[in-house]
Structures are given as C-alpha cells and as structure tokens.
C-alpha cells in the first residue's frame, strides 16, 4: 500500500492566478524549482465521491477551479493512479508536475477572463440611455414643428435630461442602496420606458420637460448600478473590461442610435422615435430581469453614515475631478465641431455626418481597448489618454484650415478622447469602498457636470476675438487639467505599493529561521 500521508506537487501561489500572463510565467519558472505539499480539501466532492479529497492549490488552500481540475487530475486507469482510503493519490514525475501546473494556470486564466452575457445586456441598456439623451438633436426640427415651439426650447430638452442625470445618479443610488441590484436596474428601466411613453403622448412642452427630467433621473440610477453590477458579474480580474463594455454601449449611441432615431422620425414622426425607445427599453427590462442574478443587496447593512463615509477618500475625489475635466474638455470642442469643419476646414456639410460617425466608431473601439488595458494598467491608461487628447485638441487650432488633417484629428480624438471613461468609473467604484454604487453614481454625475459647465463656457468664447478657435482653446486647457488628478493617483498607488512591500519585507525579517 503506498504512503498517502503527503501529496507532492509544485506550489502554485494563489496570487499567481491574479497576475498578468508574463509575470505568471516568470513566477511559475521560479516556483517550479521548489516542491511543497498541496493541502487536501476535506469538505466536499465537486464531481463524484471518487474525488472527495481532491487537492487544493496554493499556500492557503484555495479551491481548484473546474477547468484547473481537468488539467491537474490525470485520466483514470493504470497503476500510477491509486485510491488510498478515501484520498486520491497520483504519483507524477517531475515533468508531469511542471506541465500540469502550467496547464492549470492557463485554464484558470481562460475561465476567469470570460465576460458573462449579462454585461452585454447592460451595455444595450446604456446604448438606449445615451440614444435618448442625444436623439433630440437629430429630430430637433421635427419636434419644433410638431409642437410649434422654437429650436432653443427643443434644445433645452437635452439640458433638462442631463440635469436629471446629475441629480438622479447620487440621490437615487442612496435611496436604492438597500435594494438588490436586479430590482434597482429593473425599476430604472421601467421608469425609463414609462417616461418615453409619456413624451410620446404629451401635448405641450412643459409635460415633455417633466417627463425628460424624470427619465434622466432613472437613467442616472441605471448607469450607476449598471457599472457596479457589471463589475460584480465579471469578477475582479476583468472588472475594468466589463465596465468598459457597458460604457462602450453608450458611445455606440452616437454611431447607431441617433441616426436610427432620426430615420424612425422621418418614417413615423418624432413621436414614433420615443415609442420605439419605449418598446426597446421594455425588451431590455426583460433581459436584465432574467440575466442579473437575484441576490440580496451587498450594501443592505450600510447606514447612510456608512455610505457617506466612502466620500472621505481623497482618491475618489481625484477620480471624480478627472471625470469632469476629461469629458468637459472633449465635448467643449465636439459640441461645436460642425461649424469648425464647415467654416474653417471647408468640408461640405453633406460629409460632416460621415466624419462624426468616424468619431463615434473611434470612441467605441477606443473604449473597448482602454477597458481591456485598464484591468492591468489603469493608471497608465488614465494618464496617456488625456495627454494624447490634449495634444489633439491643441492641433485643431493650427490644422483647422486643412480638411484632410482635421478629419484625421477628429478620428483620433474619438479613439482617445473618452476612451478612459470606463476605467475612471471602475476606479471610482473601487475607491468608494463599501459604498461602491455611490462611487459609480458620483462618476456619472461628474461626467454630466463637466459637460454642463464646459460646453456653455466654450460657447461663450465663440463671441470673443478667438472666434471658432475658442472652443479648442477651452478644451485644451480643461483636458490638460486632467493630468493633475490622474498623475496624483498614479503617485499615490506607487507610494502605497512601495510601502506595502517594505512592510512585507520587515515582517519576513522578524520571522525566526527554522
């Protein structure tokens, strides 16, 4: 009978599974030179009684994932695989051990980086939210004619919606903190759909403004909770990527949502656009209610004081400042890009929508890429992105007279300008601590606050001697200010990392040698 008192494998540290692939391979090669006893699980069997005591990987006995078990446990049969009482024993050679441990790390990495379907459902929700915010600009003449009001009054429907988001995101998050995520998201979508039905049936502009404000409040609540729910569903390792996908759904609204809304308005009138959004929101409500897991609120035990305690984090406020400046800087120029392209660059008005579509596509792709990179290099992404954006905004001044150069600058501005927003939302959620939904809500409010304050300033500068160069000057200065909070965040993170390593070293030095 073989000795079953120990189970010899190479140790694969728990922290290794959360490291980037390059670092993981490096530590594997170093760790494979040592041998350690792998602790056994004496709690339950995952597959059958035969594997009742399968090994656990790591110094703390972290349970092996199902995909890792397939890589570690050999195929049955042969004298090498024996049952010792109720314990499974596999006598492996050194080569088998190294190969199986490497396969386990790769398999664990693959399963941990898979994005669940619910994240894409939430992205569809944000797509509808941003579509309804900006679709008014595409159907503005139709609404003005139908209600017999001025274009300025119709334009105020966008401002009212943004005000609802600014107020609704933090206020509704606090009020719904004790509710499960699925219930909060579902209620927000129901109110969103009802608000569009109200707009479609309203007969005067006052009713429409009230409905738009309420819809904006629901949108703010949905945006805030969607980012948190996406991060929870995807897991800590790919949370930034998941939030990036949710944000990318919103950026896709400028590419598909607004043109589709204008097309529906031409076919069925401007009310048909709002009916279509209400129907689409109803379908998304069913998806979210089905896919978001039913769990009790993770913050049900938090009091109002505990929620507000997360606001003491200096890192959270640095992130919120970056949210306001990065969005305000880009949209200060983007809001007036059409007259710049037509009057300064000489681009025909018929081609401007194609340029703006290129901006939207670049924003969509850039947000996805930045979200993926943000899982591993969040601070680098939040520094490089505004730095490149500042340069591009400045280049719109000397290159304004060249049509080809301005088209290229606008495309690159779409790729870089707002691509770090998903990473910033994830950092706000992280630094808010136990009140993660409140951190997400404040980031949404900060984005809209930056837009609501910087765009009017850029518009006022148009009347100055700077003329059409005024928005670019304002946008360049505001975007450059983003580098202050993002650089401070990177320095704080570096300081905390160095301090933490020093403490670990000091603790290890105090441990007596065997």
């Amino acid at each position: 009978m073989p000795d079953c008192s120990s189970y010899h494998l190479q140790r694969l540290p728990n922290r290794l599974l959360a490291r980037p692939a390059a670092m993981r391979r490096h530590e594997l090669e170093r760790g494979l030179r040592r041998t350690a006893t792998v602790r056994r699980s004496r709690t339950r069997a995952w597959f059958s009684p035969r594997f009742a005591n399968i090994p656990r990987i790591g110094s703390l006995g972290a349970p092996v994932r199902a995909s890792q078990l397939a890589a570690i446990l050999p195929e049955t049969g042969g004298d090498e695989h024996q049952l010792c009482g109720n314990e499974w024993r596999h006598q492996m050679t050194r080569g088998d051990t190294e190969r199986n441990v490497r396969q386990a790390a790769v398999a664990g990495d693959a399963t941990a980086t898979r994005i669940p379907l619910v994240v894409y459902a939430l992205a569809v929700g944000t797509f509808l939210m941003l579509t309804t915010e900006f679709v008014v600009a595409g159907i503005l003449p139709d609404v003005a004619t139908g209600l017999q009001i001025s274009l300025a009054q119709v334009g105020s429907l966008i401002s009212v919606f943004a005000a609802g988001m600014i107020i609704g995101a933090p206020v509704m998050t606090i009020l719904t903190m004790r509710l499960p995520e699925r219930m909060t998201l579902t209620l927000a979508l129901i109110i969103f759909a009802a608000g569009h039905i109200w707009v479609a049936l309203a007969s005067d502009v006052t009713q429409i403004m009230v409905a738009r404000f309420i819809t904006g409040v629901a949108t703010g609540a949905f945006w805030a909770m969607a980012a948190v729910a996406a991060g929870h569903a995807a897991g800590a390792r790919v949370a930034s990527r998941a939030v990036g996908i949710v944000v990318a759904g919103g950026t896709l609204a400028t590419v598909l949502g607004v043109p589709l809304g204008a097309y529906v308005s031409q076919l069925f009138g401007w009310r048909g656009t709002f009916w279509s959004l209400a129907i689409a929101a109803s379908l998304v409500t069913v998806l979210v209610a089905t896919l978001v897991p039913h769990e009790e609120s993770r913050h049900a035990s938090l009091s109002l004081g505990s929620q507000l305690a997360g606001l003491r984090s200096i890192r959270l406020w640095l992130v919120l400042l970056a949210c306001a400046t990065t969005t305000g800087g880009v949209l200060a120029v983007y809001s007036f890009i059409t007259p710049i392209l037509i009057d300064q660059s000489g681009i025909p008005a018929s081609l401007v929508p194609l340029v703006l579509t290129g901006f939207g596509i670049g924003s969509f792709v850039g947000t996805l890429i930045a979200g993926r990179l943000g899982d591993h290099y969040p601070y680098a992404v939040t520094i490089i992105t505004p730095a490149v954006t500042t340069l591009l905004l400045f280049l719109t001044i000397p290159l304004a007279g060249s049509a080809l150069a301005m088209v290229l600058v606008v495309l690159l501005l779409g790729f870089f300008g707002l691509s770090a927003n998903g990473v910033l939302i994830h950092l706000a959620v992280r630094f808010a601590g136990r009140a993660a939904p409140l951190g997400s809500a404040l980031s949404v409010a900060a984005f809209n606050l930056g837009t609501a304050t910087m765009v009017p300033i850029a518009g006022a500068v148009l009347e100055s001697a700077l003329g059409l160069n005024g928005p670019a000057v304002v946008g360049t200065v505001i975007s450059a200010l983003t580098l202050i909070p993002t650089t401070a965040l990177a320095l704080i993170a570096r300081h905390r990392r160095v301090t933490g390593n020093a403490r670990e070293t000091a603790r290890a030095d105090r441990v007596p040698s065997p």
Side-chain angles (χ1 to χ4, degrees):
M1 176 69 68
D3 180 18
C4 298
S5 60
S6 64
Y7 191 107
H8 293 286
L9 277 177
Q10 313 300 331
R11 176 182 297 184
L12 180 61
N14 294 334
R15 64 181 183 277
L16 203 54
L17 294 177
R19 300 279 181 88
M23 185 181 299
R24 183 168 60 251
R25 287 194 299 269
H26 171 74
E27 293 203 11
L28 271 173
E29 294 298 332
R30 185 177 63 182
L32 287 174
R33 299 191 185 98
R34 306 173 185 175
T35 59
T37 299
V38 177
R39 299 182 180 184
R40 282 185 258 257
S41 166
R42 301 184 183 276
T43 56
R44 59 175 180 169
W46 276 298
F47 301 114
S48 70
R50 182 172 186 177
F51 301 123
N53 292 300
I54 57 177
R56 289 176 170 247
I57 291 180
S59 56
L60 297 179
V64 184
R65 298 185 181 92
S67 56
Q68 292 173 319
L69 284 173
I72 295 175
L73 293 178
E75 296 181 359
T76 58
D79 294 333
E80 293 180 347
H81 316 137
Q82 303 175 33
L83 282 173
C84 298
N86 64 343
E87 297 178 356
W88 173 261
R89 173 180 173 82
H90 173 223
Q91 299 173 345
M92 292 187 290
T93 64
R94 181 179 179 83
D96 291 335
T97 301
E98 296 180 2
R99 182 173 59 256
N100 287 337
V101 170
R102 286 195 185 94
Q103 291 173 353
V106 173
D109 182 72
T111 56
T113 57
R114 188 175 301 158
I115 300 297
L117 182 60
V118 64
V119 174
Y120 298 99
L122 295 172
V124 176
T126 58
F127 168 76
L128 295 179
M129 304 291 176
L130 264 292
T131 296
T132 194
E133 182 173 7
F134 297 115
V135 75
V136 174
I139 61 175
L140 191 140
D142 298 336
V143 178
T145 302
L147 296 176
Q148 296 182 351
I149 58 177
S150 66
L151 293 177
Q153 286 179 296
V154 180
S156 64
L157 296 178
I158 300 177
S159 302
V160 168
F161 187 90
M165 287 190 66
I166 294 173
I167 298 173
V171 172
M172 292 303 297
T173 299
I174 292 176
L175 294 178
T176 60
M177 184 76 74
R178 298 176 181 275
L179 297 179
E181 292 175 356
R182 185 171 73 175
M183 182 179 294
T184 301
L185 292 169
T186 303
L187 288 175
L189 284 168
I190 291 174
I191 297 173
F192 180 86
H196 283 79
I197 295 175
W198 188 358
V199 171
L201 297 175
S203 57
D204 62 84
V205 68
T206 302
Q207 293 184 33
I208 294 178
M209 283 192 174
V210 173
R212 290 281 290 176
F213 179 82
I214 295 175
T215 305
V217 171
T219 298
F222 181 89
W223 263 91
M225 187 56 69
V228 177
H232 288 161
R237 294 188 61 191
V238 291
S240 180
R241 179 182 166 194
V243 175
I245 291 174
V246 173
V247 175
T251 62
L252 198 60
T254 57
V255 183
L256 294 177
V258 175
L260 284 175
Y263 181 69
V264 171
S265 178
Q266 293 176 4
L267 294 179
F268 306 104
W270 66 270
R271 297 182 188 273
T273 300
F274 289 97
W275 277 114
S276 300
L277 287 169
I279 294 172
S282 301
L283 296 177
V284 174
T285 303
V286 176
L287 278 177
V288 170
T290 303
L291 295 176
V292 176
H294 179 66
E295 298 176 354
E296 294 298 325
S297 175
R298 294 175 172 85
H299 314 280
S301 60
L302 293 181
S303 63
L304 180 60
S306 300
Q307 298 173 32
L308 298 179
L311 302 183
R312 293 199 297 261
S313 170
I314 183 64
R315 293 185 293 172
L316 173 61
W317 288 104
L318 289 173
V319 172
L320 296 179
L321 179 59
C323 291
T325 54
T326 188
T327 307
V330 173
L331 293 185
V333 176
Y334 181 78
S335 299
F336 303 96
I337 197 66
T338 298
I340 293 174
L341 293 176
I342 295 175
D343 298 337
Q344 287 191 309
S345 304
I347 296 176
S350 59
L351 297 180
V352 170
L354 293 178
V355 179
L356 299 183
T357 300
F359 178 93
I361 294 174
S363 181
F364 175 73
V365 175
T367 301
L368 292 178
I369 295 176
R372 181 179 289 270
L373 294 175
D375 286 319
H376 305 294
Y377 315 104
Y379 303 108
V381 170
T382 55
I383 291 177
I384 295 174
T385 298
V388 177
T389 301
T390 301
L391 177 62
L392 292 171
L393 291 174
F394 174 77
L395 288 177
T396 60
I397 300 175
L399 299 179
S402 172
L404 181 60
M406 278 298 294
V407 170
L408 180 61
V409 168
V410 171
L411 295 180
L412 291 175
L413 187 61
F415 184 81
F416 285 99
L418 303 176
S419 60
N421 285 4
V423 181
L424 290 172
I425 293 176
H426 174 60
L427 291 177
V429 170
R430 179 172 146 197
F431 296 148
R434 299 174 64 188
L438 185 58
S440 177
L442 290 174
S443 67
V444 173
F447 286 132
N448 286 274
L449 183 62
T451 302
T453 55
M454 297 307 161
V455 173
I457 293 175
V461 176
L462 283 173
E463 305 298 330
S464 68
L466 293 174
L468 286 175
N469 289 329
V473 173
V474 174
T476 301
V477 173
I478 299 303
S479 181
L481 292 177
T482 309
L483 293 172
I484 298 176
T486 55
T487 303
L489 286 168
L491 293 176
I492 292 174
R494 183 178 182 276
H495 174 73
R496 292 168 68 93
R497 184 169 58 251
V498 171
T499 304
N501 291 339
R503 290 175 180 173
E504 289 183 4
T505 302
R507 190 181 300 110
D509 292 340
R510 290 196 297 267
V511 177
S513 304

